[in-house]
PDB file of all heavy atoms in Angstrom:
ATOM      1  N   ARG A 454     118.584  79.970  85.055  1.00  0.00           N
ATOM      2  CA  ARG A 454     119.495  81.021  85.531  1.00  0.00           C
ATOM      3  C   ARG A 454     120.362  80.443  86.527  1.00  0.00           C
ATOM      4  O   ARG A 454     120.077  79.439  87.223  1.00  0.00           O
ATOM      5  CB  ARG A 454     118.615  82.105  86.177  1.00  0.00           C
ATOM      6  CG  ARG A 454     117.347  82.502  85.411  1.00  0.00           C
ATOM      7  CD  ARG A 454     116.501  83.355  86.257  1.00  0.00           C
ATOM      8  NE  ARG A 454     115.271  83.734  85.546  1.00  0.00           N
ATOM      9  CZ  ARG A 454     114.524  84.856  85.687  1.00  0.00           C
ATOM     10  NH1 ARG A 454     114.997  85.796  86.469  1.00  0.00           N
ATOM     11  NH2 ARG A 454     113.385  84.997  84.960  1.00  0.00           N
ATOM     12  N   PRO A 455     121.630  81.036  86.656  1.00  0.00           N
ATOM     13  CA  PRO A 455     122.519  80.528  87.630  1.00  0.00           C
ATOM     14  C   PRO A 455     122.081  80.851  89.012  1.00  0.00           C
ATOM     15  O   PRO A 455     121.564  82.000  89.322  1.00  0.00           O
ATOM     16  CB  PRO A 455     123.794  81.301  87.234  1.00  0.00           C
ATOM     17  CG  PRO A 455     123.381  82.448  86.530  1.00  0.00           C
ATOM     18  CD  PRO A 455     122.116  82.037  85.769  1.00  0.00           C
ATOM     19  N   TRP A 456     122.056  79.957  89.896  1.00  0.00           N
ATOM     20  CA  TRP A 456     121.567  80.089  91.312  1.00  0.00           C
ATOM     21  C   TRP A 456     122.720  80.973  91.975  1.00  0.00           C
ATOM     22  O   TRP A 456     123.909  80.765  91.830  1.00  0.00           O
ATOM     23  CB  TRP A 456     121.481  78.784  91.995  1.00  0.00           C
ATOM     24  CG  TRP A 456     120.996  78.881  93.456  1.00  0.00           C
ATOM     25  CD1 TRP A 456     121.816  78.537  94.565  1.00  0.00           C
ATOM     26  CD2 TRP A 456     119.842  79.350  93.961  1.00  0.00           C
ATOM     27  NE1 TRP A 456     121.081  78.830  95.686  1.00  0.00           N
ATOM     28  CE2 TRP A 456     119.865  79.328  95.390  1.00  0.00           C
ATOM     29  CE3 TRP A 456     118.663  79.891  93.318  1.00  0.00           C
ATOM     30  CZ2 TRP A 456     118.791  79.665  96.110  1.00  0.00           C
ATOM     31  CZ3 TRP A 456     117.654  80.355  94.156  1.00  0.00           C
ATOM     32  CH2 TRP A 456     117.688  80.191  95.583  1.00  0.00           C
ATOM     33  N   PRO A 457     122.259  82.039  92.723  1.00  0.00           N
ATOM     34  CA  PRO A 457     123.304  83.110  93.215  1.00  0.00           C
ATOM     35  C   PRO A 457     124.106  82.564  94.382  1.00  0.00           C
ATOM     36  O   PRO A 457     124.998  83.285  94.822  1.00  0.00           O
ATOM     37  CB  PRO A 457     122.342  84.188  93.549  1.00  0.00           C
ATOM     38  CG  PRO A 457     121.014  83.631  93.910  1.00  0.00           C
ATOM     39  CD  PRO A 457     120.911  82.457  92.920  1.00  0.00           C
ATOM     40  N   LEU A 458     123.726  81.449  94.916  1.00  0.00           N
ATOM     41  CA  LEU A 458     124.394  80.931  96.125  1.00  0.00           C
ATOM     42  C   LEU A 458     125.141  79.605  95.819  1.00  0.00           C
ATOM     43  O   LEU A 458     124.884  79.024  94.691  1.00  0.00           O
ATOM     44  CB  LEU A 458     123.558  80.724  97.309  1.00  0.00           C
ATOM     45  CG  LEU A 458     122.754  81.918  97.771  1.00  0.00           C
ATOM     46  CD1 LEU A 458     121.635  81.653  98.716  1.00  0.00           C
ATOM     47  CD2 LEU A 458     123.790  82.866  98.393  1.00  0.00           C
ATOM     48  N   PRO A 459     126.072  79.146  96.618  1.00  0.00           N
ATOM     49  CA  PRO A 459     126.930  78.026  96.207  1.00  0.00           C
ATOM     50  C   PRO A 459     126.181  76.715  95.787  1.00  0.00           C
ATOM     51  O   PRO A 459     126.612  76.120  94.834  1.00  0.00           O
ATOM     52  CB  PRO A 459     127.734  77.761  97.482  1.00  0.00           C
ATOM     53  CG  PRO A 459     127.808  79.156  98.215  1.00  0.00           C
ATOM     54  CD  PRO A 459     126.484  79.703  97.961  1.00  0.00           C
ATOM     55  N   THR A 460     125.096  76.353  96.420  1.00  0.00           N
ATOM     56  CA  THR A 460     124.482  75.105  96.066  1.00  0.00           C
ATOM     57  C   THR A 460     123.011  75.164  96.392  1.00  0.00           C
ATOM     58  O   THR A 460     122.446  75.905  97.211  1.00  0.00           O
ATOM     59  CB  THR A 460     125.073  73.918  96.860  1.00  0.00           C
ATOM     60  OG1 THR A 460     124.527  72.757  96.365  1.00  0.00           O
ATOM     61  CG2 THR A 460     124.900  74.082  98.345  1.00  0.00           C
ATOM     62  N   LEU A 461     122.302  74.263  95.617  1.00  0.00           N
ATOM     63  CA  LEU A 461     120.833  74.133  95.900  1.00  0.00           C
ATOM     64  C   LEU A 461     120.435  72.682  96.514  1.00  0.00           C
ATOM     65  O   LEU A 461     119.388  72.447  96.899  1.00  0.00           O
ATOM     66  CB  LEU A 461     119.978  74.220  94.602  1.00  0.00           C
ATOM     67  CG  LEU A 461     119.370  75.572  94.341  1.00  0.00           C
ATOM     68  CD1 LEU A 461     118.682  75.750  92.945  1.00  0.00           C
ATOM     69  CD2 LEU A 461     118.419  76.033  95.433  1.00  0.00           C
ATOM     70  N   THR A 462     121.494  71.921  96.566  1.00  0.00           N
ATOM     71  CA  THR A 462     121.302  70.631  97.173  1.00  0.00           C
ATOM     72  C   THR A 462     121.242  70.798  98.737  1.00  0.00           C
ATOM     73  O   THR A 462     121.881  71.569  99.319  1.00  0.00           O
ATOM     74  CB  THR A 462     122.465  69.665  96.873  1.00  0.00           C
ATOM     75  OG1 THR A 462     123.718  70.217  97.238  1.00  0.00           O
ATOM     76  CG2 THR A 462     122.460  69.331  95.407  1.00  0.00           C
ATOM     77  N   GLY A 463     120.255  69.995  99.269  1.00  0.00           N
ATOM     78  CA  GLY A 463     120.088  70.168 100.784  1.00  0.00           C
ATOM     79  C   GLY A 463     119.548  68.878 101.269  1.00  0.00           C
ATOM     80  O   GLY A 463     119.838  67.752 100.881  1.00  0.00           O
ATOM     81  N   GLU A 464     118.754  69.001 102.399  1.00  0.00           N
ATOM     82  CA  GLU A 464     118.281  67.863 103.145  1.00  0.00           C
ATOM     83  C   GLU A 464     117.163  67.147 102.389  1.00  0.00           C
ATOM     84  O   GLU A 464     116.083  67.907 101.951  1.00  0.00           O
ATOM     85  CB  GLU A 464     117.766  68.298 104.486  1.00  0.00           C
ATOM     86  CG  GLU A 464     117.173  67.226 105.297  1.00  0.00           C
ATOM     87  CD  GLU A 464     116.553  67.914 106.638  1.00  0.00           C
ATOM     88  OE1 GLU A 464     117.108  69.055 107.068  1.00  0.00           O
ATOM     89  OE2 GLU A 464     115.726  67.283 107.233  1.00  0.00           O
ATOM     90  N   PRO A 465     117.148  65.879 102.137  1.00  0.00           N
ATOM     91  CA  PRO A 465     116.067  65.162 101.405  1.00  0.00           C
ATOM     92  C   PRO A 465     114.802  65.279 102.166  1.00  0.00           C
ATOM     93  O   PRO A 465     114.777  65.107 103.370  1.00  0.00           O
ATOM     94  CB  PRO A 465     116.574  63.805 101.317  1.00  0.00           C
ATOM     95  CG  PRO A 465     118.075  63.807 101.488  1.00  0.00           C
ATOM     96  CD  PRO A 465     118.335  64.928 102.445  1.00  0.00           C
ATOM     97  N   LEU A 466     113.747  65.463 101.510  1.00  0.00           N
ATOM     98  CA  LEU A 466     112.337  65.584 102.122  1.00  0.00           C
ATOM     99  C   LEU A 466     111.627  64.230 101.761  1.00  0.00           C
ATOM    100  O   LEU A 466     112.002  63.413 100.934  1.00  0.00           O
ATOM    101  CB  LEU A 466     111.629  66.754 101.568  1.00  0.00           C
ATOM    102  CG  LEU A 466     112.153  68.137 101.846  1.00  0.00           C
ATOM    103  CD1 LEU A 466     111.451  69.235 101.075  1.00  0.00           C
ATOM    104  CD2 LEU A 466     112.179  68.374 103.422  1.00  0.00           C
ATOM    105  N   ALA A 467     110.533  64.057 102.637  1.00  0.00           N
ATOM    106  CA  ALA A 467     109.823  62.748 102.506  1.00  0.00           C
ATOM    107  C   ALA A 467     108.372  63.181 102.233  1.00  0.00           C
ATOM    108  O   ALA A 467     107.910  64.347 102.103  1.00  0.00           O
ATOM    109  CB  ALA A 467     109.987  61.960 103.766  1.00  0.00           C
ATOM    110  N   GLY A 468     107.452  62.179 102.305  1.00  0.00           N
ATOM    111  CA  GLY A 468     106.006  62.377 102.150  1.00  0.00           C
ATOM    112  C   GLY A 468     105.678  62.855 100.744  1.00  0.00           C
ATOM    113  O   GLY A 468     106.202  62.516  99.760  1.00  0.00           O
ATOM    114  N   THR A 469     104.763  63.855 100.781  1.00  0.00           N
ATOM    115  CA  THR A 469     104.347  64.530  99.502  1.00  0.00           C
ATOM    116  C   THR A 469     105.490  65.220  98.831  1.00  0.00           C
ATOM    117  O   THR A 469     105.478  65.769  97.679  1.00  0.00           O
ATOM    118  CB  THR A 469     103.217  65.503  99.654  1.00  0.00           C
ATOM    119  OG1 THR A 469     103.639  66.536 100.523  1.00  0.00           O
ATOM    120  CG2 THR A 469     102.035  64.732 100.292  1.00  0.00           C
ATOM    121  N   SER A 470     106.632  65.578  99.589  1.00  0.00           N
ATOM    122  CA  SER A 470     107.780  66.346  99.100  1.00  0.00           C
ATOM    123  C   SER A 470     108.944  65.485  98.775  1.00  0.00           C
ATOM    124  O   SER A 470     109.974  65.959  98.442  1.00  0.00           O
ATOM    125  CB  SER A 470     108.215  67.346 100.184  1.00  0.00           C
ATOM    126  OG  SER A 470     107.121  68.115 100.580  1.00  0.00           O
ATOM    127  N   ALA A 471     108.678  64.211  98.678  1.00  0.00           N
ATOM    128  CA  ALA A 471     109.751  63.201  98.382  1.00  0.00           C
ATOM    129  C   ALA A 471     110.297  63.546  96.905  1.00  0.00           C
ATOM    130  O   ALA A 471     109.594  63.878  95.999  1.00  0.00           O
ATOM    131  CB  ALA A 471     109.252  61.759  98.369  1.00  0.00           C
ATOM    132  N   GLY A 472     111.607  63.475  96.825  1.00  0.00           N
ATOM    133  CA  GLY A 472     112.344  63.819  95.607  1.00  0.00           C
ATOM    134  C   GLY A 472     112.858  65.191  95.645  1.00  0.00           C
ATOM    135  O   GLY A 472     113.693  65.667  94.728  1.00  0.00           O
ATOM    136  N   SER A 473     112.367  65.976  96.556  1.00  0.00           N
ATOM    137  CA  SER A 473     112.920  67.407  96.766  1.00  0.00           C
ATOM    138  C   SER A 473     113.845  67.516  97.815  1.00  0.00           C
ATOM    139  O   SER A 473     113.833  66.617  98.729  1.00  0.00           O
ATOM    140  CB  SER A 473     111.675  68.389  96.923  1.00  0.00           C
ATOM    141  OG  SER A 473     110.789  68.340  95.813  1.00  0.00           O
ATOM    142  N   THR A 474     114.566  68.602  97.910  1.00  0.00           N
ATOM    143  CA  THR A 474     115.571  68.881  98.981  1.00  0.00           C
ATOM    144  C   THR A 474     115.241  70.209  99.582  1.00  0.00           C
ATOM    145  O   THR A 474     114.491  70.948  99.061  1.00  0.00           O
ATOM    146  CB  THR A 474     117.008  68.827  98.604  1.00  0.00           C
ATOM    147  OG1 THR A 474     117.157  69.896  97.586  1.00  0.00           O
ATOM    148  CG2 THR A 474     117.405  67.459  97.795  1.00  0.00           C
ATOM    149  N   CYS A 475     115.773  70.456 100.777  1.00  0.00           N
ATOM    150  CA  CYS A 475     115.512  71.637 101.543  1.00  0.00           C
ATOM    151  C   CYS A 475     116.721  72.100 102.289  1.00  0.00           C
ATOM    152  O   CYS A 475     117.508  71.303 102.753  1.00  0.00           O
ATOM    153  CB  CYS A 475     114.299  71.394 102.472  1.00  0.00           C
ATOM    154  SG  CYS A 475     114.039  72.655 103.746  1.00  0.00           S
ATOM    155  N   HIS A 476     116.962  73.392 102.283  1.00  0.00           N
ATOM    156  CA  HIS A 476     118.013  74.006 103.031  1.00  0.00           C
ATOM    157  C   HIS A 476     117.586  75.306 103.492  1.00  0.00           C
ATOM    158  O   HIS A 476     116.765  75.985 102.779  1.00  0.00           O
ATOM    159  CB  HIS A 476     119.411  73.991 102.411  1.00  0.00           C
ATOM    160  CG  HIS A 476     119.477  74.911 101.182  1.00  0.00           C
ATOM    161  ND1 HIS A 476     118.919  74.611  99.974  1.00  0.00           N
ATOM    162  CD2 HIS A 476     120.181  76.060 101.119  1.00  0.00           C
ATOM    163  CE1 HIS A 476     119.194  75.634  99.140  1.00  0.00           C
ATOM    164  NE2 HIS A 476     119.970  76.529  99.766  1.00  0.00           N
ATOM    165  N   VAL A 477     118.051  75.824 104.712  1.00  0.00           N
ATOM    166  CA  VAL A 477     117.586  76.962 105.321  1.00  0.00           C
ATOM    167  C   VAL A 477     118.571  78.137 105.039  1.00  0.00           C
ATOM    168  O   VAL A 477     119.815  77.870 105.294  1.00  0.00           O
ATOM    169  CB  VAL A 477     117.239  76.758 106.809  1.00  0.00           C
ATOM    170  CG1 VAL A 477     116.921  78.088 107.528  1.00  0.00           C
ATOM    171  CG2 VAL A 477     116.141  75.752 106.996  1.00  0.00           C
ATOM    172  N   LEU A 478     118.107  79.303 104.740  1.00  0.00           N
ATOM    173  CA  LEU A 478     118.933  80.453 104.546  1.00  0.00           C
ATOM    174  C   LEU A 478     118.650  81.513 105.490  1.00  0.00           C
ATOM    175  O   LEU A 478     117.492  81.650 105.893  1.00  0.00           O
ATOM    176  CB  LEU A 478     118.707  81.045 103.112  1.00  0.00           C
ATOM    177  CG  LEU A 478     118.941  80.209 101.883  1.00  0.00           C
ATOM    178  CD1 LEU A 478     118.594  80.845 100.674  1.00  0.00           C
ATOM    179  CD2 LEU A 478     120.344  79.645 101.911  1.00  0.00           C
ATOM    180  N   ARG A 479     119.735  82.165 105.982  1.00  0.00           N
ATOM    181  CA  ARG A 479     119.571  83.229 106.980  1.00  0.00           C
ATOM    182  C   ARG A 479     120.485  84.419 106.541  1.00  0.00           C
ATOM    183  O   ARG A 479     121.426  84.259 105.868  1.00  0.00           O
ATOM    184  CB  ARG A 479     119.890  82.814 108.361  1.00  0.00           C
ATOM    185  CG  ARG A 479     118.845  81.794 109.027  1.00  0.00           C
ATOM    186  CD  ARG A 479     119.370  81.325 110.355  1.00  0.00           C
ATOM    187  NE  ARG A 479     118.329  80.503 111.068  1.00  0.00           N
ATOM    188  CZ  ARG A 479     118.195  79.113 110.873  1.00  0.00           C
ATOM    189  NH1 ARG A 479     119.098  78.547 110.022  1.00  0.00           N
ATOM    190  NH2 ARG A 479     117.253  78.530 111.514  1.00  0.00           N
ATOM    191  N   GLY A 480     120.271  85.555 107.117  1.00  0.00           N
ATOM    192  CA  GLY A 480     121.111  86.688 106.854  1.00  0.00           C
ATOM    193  C   GLY A 480     121.363  87.084 105.432  1.00  0.00           C
ATOM    194  O   GLY A 480     120.413  87.266 104.664  1.00  0.00           O
ATOM    195  N   ALA A 481     122.707  87.185 105.130  1.00  0.00           N
ATOM    196  CA  ALA A 481     123.049  87.706 103.862  1.00  0.00           C
ATOM    197  C   ALA A 481     122.624  86.695 102.754  1.00  0.00           C
ATOM    198  O   ALA A 481     122.210  87.077 101.673  1.00  0.00           O
ATOM    199  CB  ALA A 481     124.531  87.924 103.725  1.00  0.00           C
ATOM    200  N   GLU A 482     122.638  85.412 103.026  1.00  0.00           N
ATOM    201  CA  GLU A 482     122.245  84.361 102.008  1.00  0.00           C
ATOM    202  C   GLU A 482     120.690  84.528 101.794  1.00  0.00           C
ATOM    203  O   GLU A 482     120.264  84.347 100.560  1.00  0.00           O
ATOM    204  CB  GLU A 482     122.554  82.965 102.537  1.00  0.00           C
ATOM    205  CG  GLU A 482     124.008  82.746 102.477  1.00  0.00           C
ATOM    206  CD  GLU A 482     124.233  81.140 102.610  1.00  0.00           C
ATOM    207  OE1 GLU A 482     123.500  80.531 103.432  1.00  0.00           O
ATOM    208  OE2 GLU A 482     125.348  80.712 102.149  1.00  0.00           O
TER     209      GLU A 482
END
Side-chain angles (χ1 to χ4, degrees):
R454 312 173 187 210
W456 180 245
L458 296 169
T460 183
L461 264 176
T462 54
E464 176 183 338
L466 296 173
T469 63
S470 305
S473 300
T474 65
C475 169
H476 67 289
V477 174
L478 301 180
R479 294 179 172 84
E482 288 190 331

